[in-house]
Amino acid sequence: MKRLLIAFAFGVAGACLLAPGTASAQASRTWVSGVGDDANPCSRTAPCKTFAGAISKTAAAGEINCLDDGGFGALTITKSIAIKCDGHEGGVLVSGTNGFVVSAASTDIVWISGLDFEGLGPAALSLNGIKILSAAAVTVSNCTIRGFGSTNATDGNGIFLNNTGTTKLFVNTTLIADNALIGLEVRPQAGATATVQVDRSISTNNANGYRANGSSNSASINMNVNDSTASGNTGAGFNATGGTGPAQLMLRAINSSNNGTGLVSGTNGTIRFGYSTITGNNLATNATGTLVSYGNNQINGNTTDTTPALIPLH
């Protein structure tokens, strides 16, 4: 009997020794702080220092929040996650690399909100603020993205949707500025499909403001931009150019001002626009593809005003 009790005691002790392993389980909500430490469990009372330190301790479909102001570093996202720092300075400052890379499963959903992406350039050649390679859906909300550049004519974008498969992108209340190439570049890879919705956002002082770019022979791009501005870009404010598949850009209540060209529709590209203002550009519109107006726009005050084809309101 004594031997049995001793064996039982050792068994209980062994179980207790193993029990702390459950404490390392990922949490559904984690925290980062400017004075945190990545050796911490990323709890509210013991926050981590960086997003990279926190994401490994956050369960899939969980959320990382900023406890206070700080610079929390670059990140590669490989699962469903929400990273939300609204109300605090959630800084992502990089040099020579991307801010965030989203390389998740085709079923994953990613939410990025309230962050400040800084590329120190574009002379620092910090590639892209947010580069999206794969995910079911990505939302970028209430962010500032500026100063990204590159010499390869591909990177240097504020947001770069360069997806495989099918991806939805939602951008709202976001300022994208001072990037070497495009504020928002939608350029799916060969055979891929992109659906994009942009609301209440600004793209300014880039080479181009917003572009639906099918040059990699994507299957299709459907991009809607509502109540948003492209201003002070050296090239086009808004551009739709397809490849073997179409690139369609629907614009409602947009302002395209003081750009090289207000609206550009290239080969196999389609732009439809209404309730919009096109002013102060060197050229109002330029179309080798399809560019049609609903007839309720203000196109005036450009160095060269153009008259696009009309399409009836339905």
Side-chain angles (χ1 to χ4, degrees):
M1 179 62 71
K2 184 181 288 186
R3 289 180 179 176
L4 183 60
L5 289 173
I6 292 171
F8 176 76
F10 273 111
V12 171
C16 291
L17 288 172
L18 291 173
T22 61
S24 64
Q26 293 176 319
S28 58
R29 185 187 301 274
T30 58
W31 300 84
V32 292
S33 166
V35 292
D37 190 322
D38 283 347
N40 289 339
C42 303
S43 65
R44 186 174 177 83
T45 55
C48 284
K49 176 70 172 175
T50 67
F51 291 135
I55 196 169
S56 63
K57 299 171 185 177
T58 309
E63 184 168 316
I64 301 172
N65 295 130
C66 293
L67 189 60
D68 52 29
D69 299 343
F72 303 115
L75 179 65
T76 297
I77 297 171
T78 58
K79 60 186 176 185
S80 290
I81 196 82
I83 301 173
K84 300 174 72 174
C85 291
D86 302 271
H88 290 291
E89 175 67 21
V92 179
L93 187 151
V94 294
S95 179
T97 187
N98 296 291
F100 278 11
V101 175
V102 179
S103 184
S106 61
T107 54
D108 286 337
I109 296 173
V110 174
W111 189 286
I112 301 165
S113 182
L115 301 186
D116 178 13
F117 293 86
E118 173 59 63
L120 295 175
L125 305 180
S126 296
L127 303 182
N128 307 281
I130 302 172
K131 184 174 184 178
I132 303 163
L133 297 174
S134 56
V138 178
T139 295
V140 179
S141 177
N142 194 29
C143 290
T144 299
I145 308 169
R146 65 171 303 276
F148 289 85
S150 175
T151 58
N152 63 11
T154 298
D155 299 306
N157 310 287
I159 301 174
F160 185 17
L161 179 57
N162 188 218
N163 60 296
T164 58
T166 299
T167 299
K168 299 176 183 178
L169 173 62
F170 306 96
V171 179
N172 64 79
T173 323
T174 289
L175 171 62
I176 309 171
D178 309 328
N179 300 289
L181 201 55
I182 318 294
L184 171 55
E185 169 81 321
V186 179
R187 184 177 171 180
Q189 297 182 38
T193 297
T195 302
V196 180
Q197 178 68 44
V198 180
D199 295 283
R200 300 179 305 281
S201 295
I202 298 172
S203 184
T204 184
N205 198 37
N206 311 286
N208 294 273
Y210 305 83
R211 183 165 68 176
N213 180 359
S215 64
S216 296
N217 295 321
S218 55
S220 67
I221 302 170
N222 283 286
M223 183 172 173
N224 299 316
V225 183
N226 177 64
D227 192 18
S228 296
T229 295
S231 182
N233 301 287
T234 55
F238 296 85
N239 182 305
T241 301
T244 55
Q248 300 192 69
L249 181 54
M250 175 69 82
L251 307 175
R252 184 187 185 281
I254 60 92
N255 182 304
S256 186
S257 60
N258 304 310
N259 305 290
T261 304
L263 310 178
V264 173
S265 175
T267 303
N268 212 15
T270 297
I271 293 180
R272 301 179 180 91
F273 65 108
Y275 298 103
S276 296
T277 299
I278 315 297
T279 189
N281 304 286
N282 291 332
L283 179 63
T285 63
N286 185 17
T288 55
T290 300
L291 193 151
V292 290
S293 163
Y294 288 102
N296 50 12
N297 301 289
Q298 297 169 307
I299 306 174
N300 193 255
N302 303 280
T303 302
T304 302
D305 290 321
T306 50
T307 304
L310 297 178
I311 183 174
L313 290 168
H314 297 285

